[in-house]
Amino acid sequence: MGRPRSVPDDEVFAAILGLLAEDGAGAVSFGTVSKVCGLAPPTLVQRYGDRAGMLRAALEQGWDGVMEAGERIAATEETAQGYLKALSGVLPRGLIVASLADPEAAARAAEWRQSVERVLAAKQ
């Protein structure tokens, strides 16, 4: 008998962002996420409803993290070059491309871009 497993959303989202980075949005399914994070596909369906909901939740969490990191970096980096270099280390690979297919995530990407432009203008 298998033991019940509880995996926090953050771990599920990290698995999804990892799949996005390696193989793009087409690689994200209940089956592939299940293999990476260890939750059964029915549990993922129960949490997120459908594949689009699961992907959207991961993208939202990804953008939340990028925005928070960007604010911290902007407060500590004195130059535009330093800011961009530090920022490149917190942007998950695949996040921008995957966001283009989802209007809500695309809006978050645009919001992030505007925040980067504001910081760069202030550091010139």
Side-chain angles (χ1 to χ4, degrees), residues 16-31:
I16 294 168
L17 292 174
L19 289 165
L20 286 171
E22 288 192 26
D23 298 313
V28 178
S29 69
F30 288 120

Side-chain angles (χ1 to χ4, degrees), residues 65-91:
V66 168
M67 294 293 284
E68 290 169 11
E71 290 172 11
R72 285 192 309 273
I73 292 166
T76 59
E77 290 293 334
E78 294 181 16
T79 66
Q81 183 178 8
Y83 169 73
L84 287 174
K85 184 176 180 180
L87 192 62
S88 70
V90 300
L91 185 62

Side-chain angles (χ1 to χ4, degrees), residues 15-80:
I16 294 168
L17 292 174
L19 289 165
L20 286 171
E22 288 192 26
D23 298 313
V28 178
S29 69
F30 288 120
T32 58
V33 174
S34 172
K35 287 178 186 173
V36 175
C37 75
L39 284 178
T43 303
L44 294 169
V45 172
Q46 196 172 36
R47 277 194 194 183
Y48 307 110
D50 59 14
R51 179 188 174 278
M54 179 176 67
L55 188 55
R56 188 174 306 112
L59 292 174
E60 185 70 26
Q61 189 266 354
W63 284 116
D64 286 348
V66 168
M67 294 293 284
E68 290 169 11
E71 290 172 11
R72 285 192 309 273
I73 292 166
T76 59
E77 290 293 334
E78 294 181 16
T79 66

